[in-house]
Amino acid sequence: MSLPPLSPEQLVKPRHFELRMSLIFGTLFISLGTHLPYFPLWLQAKGFHAEQIAVILAAPMFLRVVTTPLLTTLADRARDRADVYITLVAAALLLSAGYFLTPTYAMVLAVSLALTIVWTPHSPIADSLALSGVRRFGSNYASMRKWGSICYLLANVAGGFILAATGPQAVPVIIFLALGAALIAGLLAPRLGRPRKASPLSAAEIQHAAPSLFNAYFLYFTLGVGIITASHAFLYGFVSIYWKSIGISDSVVGLLWAWGVVSEVCMFLFFSRIFGSVSVARVMLIAGIGSIVRWIAFPLVWPFGLGVPGFFAVQSLHSVSVAMVLIGLQKMIGETVSEERTGAAQGIAYFFNGFFMAAVTLASGPLYDRLGVDGFLAMIPIAVVGLVLIGLAARSAPKHPVRG
């Protein structure tokens, strides 16, 4: 599908485009790098039990599966996506102040639901702006996006040291200040107008192209990816709480989270050298096996006396169970989905990932309440189901990659 021609105005590159996008990515990921590892600790400190924490974490995941594609479509149709981005960041900043109110269960759940609507679209809209610069001006996406990963990593580490000094009550403050920084960076966002191609999460594009994607290979593969990804829900929801319960300090918790990100980045850097000639189905099988090994190992580290070094070793498997899944999905789409259907393919994969992650997160609360760290063992059959689906996908894989 050919893209419409650029207008004369769209051919003009905004000043300092790459720097401005780097600032957007960097500030965007500070709040995310604080929320994922430390928000459950704040919830526990406020007296919520595991099942309530699971609901507060999972309910927004179910909601954003529906709302994020709608808002990215709105951004695609607006006069300028930067205006939508600024509005959503400002709304997220205001709503995040709700965590400063008396933290009743109903209040925190309501704030989290409202916040996810306006917070989750930040990343895909920022991606959309950056990719427009790549297409129009030849900008380097990786050189801009890397600042998001760097700031996410720094937020993991710095957040741990801040919590070690202040306690979990600092979490809402850090999120609020980080969103404030994101709003300042957003005000500097380059104006690019509408995109020439819809966002990867565009609901309109998904509706148009999805029927042609519903073949056995694509469905088995994306379902398998979604389920293997969902087996990480127990980790994301409760590992920080578990580490704290066995006496690991906040600063070390931050370093453990950061080490997982470092290992993920290393896989991105060396994947082509190590696995470039490996079929995408085998890449995913390796990733699924890595997930299973990770969930077997987690409950054994502390009882076997391996201590914090053991957890660092297990966190290294993030490079396999997460990074290889992300790369494998994009490799599959690149090899088997034509360009005009790529956006729809991304949107369908996003739906499966989001739905299954939310479902397993919801189940993780009762699991942690009853089993503690042994709840990781319940993630093993989930990863196995994902592996079976990847195996079925391999049996129905197309013989030749698509062209064009």
Side-chain angles (χ1 to χ4, degrees):
M1 182 174 66
S2 61
L3 296 172
L6 290 168
S7 66
E9 294 80 10
Q10 290 175 320
L11 287 169
V12 178
K13 182 178 180 180
R15 292 184 62 191
H16 308 300
F17 175 81
E18 289 81 3
L19 174 61
R20 291 155 75 179
M21 288 307 308
S22 297
L23 285 171
I24 286 173
F25 280 123
T27 53
L28 165 64
F29 277 88
I30 294 172
S31 56
L32 296 176
T34 302
H35 185 272
L36 181 62
Y38 302 120
F39 188 63
L41 291 177
W42 180 76
L43 293 173
Q44 185 188 48
K46 293 302 177 183
F48 299 117
H49 57 71
E51 292 189 17
Q52 290 176 320
I53 292 173
V55 173
I56 291 170
L57 296 177
M61 294 181 186
F62 283 113
L63 181 60
R64 71 191 186 198
V65 166
V66 177
T67 59
T68 299
L70 295 176
L71 286 170
T72 54
T73 298
L74 172 65
D76 284 348
R77 294 176 178 174
R79 289 186 61 185
D80 201 297
R81 288 160 290 167
D83 294 331
V84 179
Y85 179 81
I86 293 167
T87 301
L88 291 174
V89 175
L93 176 64
L94 291 173
L95 287 169
S96 70
Y99 290 132
F100 298 135
L101 301 174
T102 303
T104 64
Y105 177 56
M107 175 62 72
V108 173
L109 179 58
V111 171
S112 297
L113 287 169
L115 183 57
T116 199
I117 295 173
V118 295
W119 194 359
T120 309
H122 295 182
S123 184
I125 295 175
D127 278 335
S128 177
L129 288 169
L131 290 172
S132 288
V134 172
R135 295 189 185 104
R136 297 179 191 180
F137 319 123
S139 299
N140 187 318
Y141 175 80
S143 70
M144 297 179 285
R145 176 58 177 78
K146 71 181 179 183
W147 292 103
S149 297
I150 291 170
C151 289
Y152 186 93
L153 179 65
L154 292 175
N156 287 167
V157 176
F161 283 100
I162 293 171
L163 264 63
T166 66
Q169 65 267 22
V171 172
V173 178
I174 298 171
I175 291 173
F176 182 81
L177 293 176
L179 286 170
L183 179 58
I184 293 171
L187 293 172
L188 301 174
R191 296 317 199 256
L192 298 173
R194 295 184 180 91
R196 291 195 294 162
K197 183 174 174 59
S199 163
L201 298 181
S202 169
E205 188 175 28
I206 292 172
Q207 183 179 11
H208 173 74
S212 62
L213 293 170
F214 288 155
N215 57 77
Y217 178 70
F218 181 82
L219 283 178
Y220 282 139
F221 200 101
T222 50
L223 283 168
V225 166
I227 292 172
I228 291 173
T229 300
S231 73
H232 292 69
F234 191 85
L235 173 83
Y236 294 148
F238 293 96
V239 75
S240 293
I241 293 173
Y242 165 65
W243 281 331
K244 288 286 293 177
S245 74
I246 58 176
I248 295 177
S249 68
D250 290 296
S251 56
V252 175
V253 167
L255 291 171
L256 284 165
W257 277 97
W259 183 249
V261 179
V262 170
S263 65
E264 181 181 332
V265 171
C266 288
M267 179 59 73
F268 287 138
L269 292 174
F270 298 108
F271 177 85
S272 296
R273 295 183 191 179
I274 302 172
F275 299 104
S277 61
V278 179
S279 71
V280 68
R282 289 189 178 182
V283 166
M284 289 303 305
L285 289 172
I286 293 169
I289 292 169
S291 299
I292 292 170
V293 172
R294 196 176 183 186
W295 311 145
I296 292 172
F298 244 112
L300 302 178
V301 170
W302 204 250
F304 279 27
L306 301 177
V308 171
F311 286 124
F312 273 103
V314 175
Q315 281 294 84
S316 298
L317 287 171
H318 204 74
S319 61
V320 179
S321 69
V322 173
M324 288 184 72
V325 171
L326 294 173
I327 296 169
L329 175 63
Q330 299 308 316
K331 186 175 169 69
M332 181 277 290
I333 291 175
E335 290 177 353
T336 62
V337 178
S338 57
E339 184 172 350
E340 68 269 19
R341 296 183 176 88
T342 298
Q346 299 280 7
I348 292 167
Y350 173 87
F351 174 84
F352 286 152
N353 284 1
F355 178 82
F356 290 123
M357 180 64 78
V360 180
T361 299
L362 191 60
S364 294
L367 282 172
Y368 188 77
D369 218 16
R370 291 161 177 75
L371 301 176
V373 69
D374 289 337
F376 276 110
L377 300 177
M379 300 298 105
I380 296 171
I382 295 172
V384 168
V385 171
L387 270 178
V388 170
L389 288 165
I390 295 298
L392 292 172
R395 294 180 60 183
S396 55
K399 300 299 182 183
H400 304 286
V402 298
R403 304 192 181 277

